[in-house]
Each structure stands twice: as structure tokens, then as C-alpha cells.
Amino acid sequence: MPLPLATHAPSSPVDALRRLINLRWLSISSMLLVVVLVPWLLDIPLPARALLLVAAALVLTNLLSLLRVATLRDVHPAELFLQLSADLTAWSVFLYYTGGATNPLISLLLPLVAIGAATLTAPFAWAMAALAVAAYSVLWDFNEQLDIYDSGLAVHWHLAGMWLTFALSAGVIVWYVVRMTAAIRSRDLALAEAREARLRNERIVALGNLAAGAAHELGTPLGTMAILAGELARNPGLDDEVRADAELLREQVANCKAILASLTLRAGSLRAEGGEVLATDQWLRGIIERWRSLRPHVPLTTTCQCGDPAPRLVADTTLEQAIHNVINNAADVSPNGVECEVGIDEAQIVVRVLDRGPGLPPGFRPGPEHPADGNSDGLGIGLLLAFDAVERCSGSIAFSPRPGGGTIATLTLPLSALRP
């Protein structure tokens, strides 16, 4: 059983084998300490040759196990059982030459049983327990007793050895069980996140189906509106202000038709298949200009510092829509003006959208299921899609209160996920 490794990844049989290999080095060190210290401190002669052969056999077993685990993807429970059986056999032989069941170190068989119960399937765990009991029983009658001349001192050192072995066994068991418990919690967290992602993906698939239906159904009324808006704009009887409004209406209808026409192309397409390679600043300025054409009445102040030359990336249409949605989110609650700051920070694109809306309610934690701006008029679909698009590129969206009132939305996108 291994020394605990600092990891938060869900536990696997391969992880269990690595822990077992690390613990075996502890077993080998303990055997060598016994061989060196007992004759020196307690004046008890030991069969050093036989004991060193046992330690050498464990070293060889561990080296072979290290070579095997380097190429393993999975470990069968039977192999973990054989690994633990090798440790049990080595300690049984070691104890045979050092007094058998009278040696207080025999309690070290118990951590092996605890490790087996924590890592093996039920049949192998019970088999491990049966082997340990059998080894203890055999060592009761079959062993080589040590020559201890002072019986009173022998009893004293035996009790001290029992205490030390109990403390060591308790520490090893707690250590291993704590590691296993942490691995189980990490696995449960990963399962919960996977379940959440699956539910979110199901919602997005449903939204995709609705979008396809909406594109089909809205084509006809938008065409009619475009014809009427064009006729109104050409009507000589209208004053200039009304004619300008009609022209704006016609442009917005055309934008709606263009968006619906692109839904089929965007849905399900891979970024590498249809994306265009652009400089980062050019890509972001294009997104902002398209947003301005859709929301011309909301002032948008932009700052773009992407370096010179700016890194090149593949223009991902889903990310474009995500940035659109976040800016829309801010414009809905701050119609008097929105700010957008773009920069490159440690191989990441950082997009900050600042508004002067009502801000985040106290204790509110925005996420894929909730609008971040406190605006209850929308359905939160835009933010849901934005979170999904950004997370698929290994990015993140975070919200924080803005000094003086409002909200700051920060999109972080790793350049490595967007490079050609």
C-alpha cells in the first residue's frame, strides 16, 4: 500500500497499484531498520542473511511493478490481490525468522487486510483476510525463536514493540482510508459534474431543435415584414424621420433573416471545419461591429489590447454568439451604455463586459442556469449557451460587482484551444 499521493483525480485500480508500490517501499525500509537496529539497540541476534533476502525479493517485486504500471491503462482486481499477497508472503517469511506470532510486528499484517478491503472486490477482500488469518495461525506454531537471555527485558520490549506496531498500523490504516475517502469524494464530484453537463447538453440539443423549427417558421413572416418595410421606406408621402425608421426596420429584418439563414450552418459544425483564421483583434472587432449593427441605440465603448502582432486563431461561431449574448445581457440592464475591454493575459484572451445595471443580488452566484444581471425579463437561454460554448473551449465566465454599481462579466478563453 502506497504513501499517499497528492491528487484530486478520481481513484482507479492503477492509482491503487501506485499507492501499493509506494507503501511497499515503506515496508522494505521497515525491514531494513529492523535488521540494523534490533541487534544494535536490543542486543538480539537476527538471521540477517535470510531477512535481507526477503527485503531484496520485495525490492525486485517493486521494480518489476514500477515497469508494469508505467504502461498500464487498467488493472484487474486479481493483479491487485496478487500484489497484496506478495506483501503478505514477504512479511510472513520475515516474521518466521524473527519469532513468528510472538513478534509484535505480526500486527503489520492487519493494514494489508484493511487495504485489501478498501481496494479489492468482495471475494478477493475475503480471500485476503483468510490468507492473513492463515499466515498468523501457521506462524503460531512454525517459526524460529530468537535468543533473548533476559526474560524480563524480553517482556518489556515485547510490550513496547506491540505498542509501536499498533501505532504504526493505526497510522497506516487511517492514512490509506483518508486517501481513499478523498478519492471517492473526488469521483462523486466528477460524476455530479458529468451529470450536470449531460443535463445541460440535453437542454442545448432541445434548444437546437427549437431553433431549427423557429428558423423554418419565421422565414415567411420576416419576408413579409421586409417587403412592407421596403415599401414604407420608398413611400414619398412619409417625412424623413419616419422614412429613416422604416429603413432601420428593413435593415433589422434583413439581419434577422441572415441570422436565421446561418443557424443551419452553425448548428453542429466543428470549429476546425468551418472556422476562418483571423487575428485576435480583427475577430473581436468584427464581433463588436456586428453587435452594434443589431443594437445601434445602446452605446458600446471598446478597448482592445491584443498585442502587435495579435495572435491568430480560428473564428469559432459559437464563441462569437457567446460574446454577443454576454454583451446583450449587459445592454438589457444598462441601456445607457456598456463597456467592453479585450486583452491578452498569459496566453489567454480576456474579454470584460462592464455595465451600470442593478448589479448582483447579495449572495447570488451566477451560473449556467441563472441570468447574472438580475434581469427577470429573459429566459436565461443566452447565458446558458454562452457558458456551454466557453466551457467547451476550456474557458470560463465569471461575474463580479463593479465599483460604483453594476456588474463585470469576464470571459477567459485559452489561446491554445483556439489556435489554427
Side-chain angles (χ1 to χ4, degrees):
M1 150 201 160
L3 300 177
L5 300 176
T7 174
H8 300 287
S11 183
S12 68
V14 176
D15 295 329
L17 180 56
R18 290 193 181 100
R19 282 192 287 267
L20 189 60
I21 290 171
N22 287 334
L23 183 65
R24 190 173 290 140
W25 292 122
L26 180 60
S27 295
I28 294 167
S29 302
S30 301
M31 290 179 178
L32 294 177
L33 285 175
V34 169
V35 173
V36 172
L37 296 180
V38 168
W40 178 46
L41 294 177
L42 306 183
D43 197 23
I44 299 175
L46 296 177
R49 180 185 177 87
L51 299 181
L52 288 175
L53 285 175
V54 173
L58 267 188
V59 170
L60 180 60
T61 302
N62 231 22
L63 291 176
L64 293 175
S65 300
L66 281 173
L67 292 176
R68 176 160 174 75
V69 80
T71 58
L72 274 181
R73 291 184 178 273
D74 197 12
V75 177
H76 193 275
E79 183 167 349
L80 287 177
F81 174 75
L82 291 176
Q83 292 278 350
L84 283 169
S85 298
D87 290 313
L88 181 64
T89 302
W91 273 110
S92 299
V93 175
F94 191 91
L95 291 167
Y96 170 82
Y97 288 108
T98 54
T102 61
N103 189 332
L105 291 178
I106 199 165
S107 297
L108 291 178
L109 299 182
L110 189 58
L112 296 175
V113 177
I115 295 167
T119 58
L120 299 175
T121 57
F124 286 115
W126 281 109
M128 192 68 206
L131 285 177
V133 172
Y136 198 121
S137 303
V138 170
L139 291 170
W140 192 283
D141 292 322
F142 298 94
N143 56 72
E144 292 189 7
Q145 289 296 319
L146 301 175
D147 294 328
I148 304 177
Y149 303 105
D150 189 336
S151 58
L153 185 62
V155 172
H156 171 75
W157 283 118
H158 180 79
L159 294 175
M162 289 179 63
W163 179 88
L164 180 62
T165 306
F166 177 84
L168 182 61
S169 299
V172 169
I173 291 172
V174 170
W175 184 17
Y176 196 85
V177 170
V178 165
R179 294 299 303 165
M180 290 298 297
T181 302
I184 290 171
R185 287 175 181 159
S186 179
R187 182 198 61 189
D188 291 343
L189 179 61
L191 288 174
E193 291 175 349
R195 190 180 305 114
E196 220 173 273
R198 180 176 60 83
L199 292 174
R200 191 162 66 244
N201 289 339
E202 288 178 356
R203 288 187 61 187
I204 290 170
V205 169
L207 286 173
N209 293 332
L210 288 174
H216 176 72
E217 297 292 335
L218 292 175
T220 300
L222 282 175
T224 304
M225 291 170 64
I227 293 172
L228 294 176
E231 291 179 353
L232 283 174
R234 292 189 296 270
N235 188 345
L238 297 178
D239 58 37
D240 292 340
E241 184 178 352
V242 176
R243 184 177 293 104
D245 290 341
E247 183 63 28
L248 177 61
L249 176 61
R250 189 178 64 82
E251 291 176 1
Q252 295 302 312
V253 171
N255 284 331
C256 291
K257 292 180 67 177
I259 292 171
L260 291 176
S262 67
L263 282 176
T264 305
L265 296 177
R266 293 186 179 189
S269 64
L270 296 177
R271 180 178 64 90
E273 290 178 354
E276 181 184 1
V277 179
L278 297 172
T280 303
D281 54 351
Q282 181 183 356
W283 177 60
L284 291 165
R285 287 193 180 102
I287 295 173
I288 291 169
E289 290 307 316
R290 282 191 292 276
W291 185 88
R292 281 181 171 144
S293 68
L294 295 173
R295 302 285 294 267
H297 299 298
V298 179
L300 175 61
T301 305
T302 61
T303 304
C304 188
Q305 297 177 344
C306 297
D308 188 16
R312 296 179 67 79
L313 48 78
V314 176
D316 188 331
T317 54
T318 59
L319 283 178
E320 292 178 14
Q321 192 60 49
I323 296 173
H324 267 261
N325 290 340
V326 173
I327 300 176
N328 272 334
N329 207 50
D332 288 340
V333 294
S334 182
N336 294 327
V338 177
E339 298 175 33
C340 181
E341 300 174 355
V342 181
I344 304 293
D345 182 21
E346 297 181 355
Q348 292 181 328
I349 302 174
V350 179
V351 181
R352 300 172 74 239
V353 180
L354 305 88
D355 65 55
R356 286 298 182 187
L360 301 175
F364 185 75
R365 301 183 62 184
E369 306 299 328
H370 307 285
D373 51 24
N375 179 20
S376 60
D377 296 335
L379 299 177
I381 293 175
L383 195 60
L384 170 67
L385 297 175
F387 267 92
D388 179 74
V390 170
E391 288 175 359
R392 280 192 290 107
C393 292
S394 303
S396 63
I397 301 179
F399 295 89
S400 59
R402 183 181 182 184
T407 303
I408 302 175
T410 304
L411 286 79
T412 305
L413 304 170
L415 279 171
S416 58
L418 301 174
R419 292 191 186 279

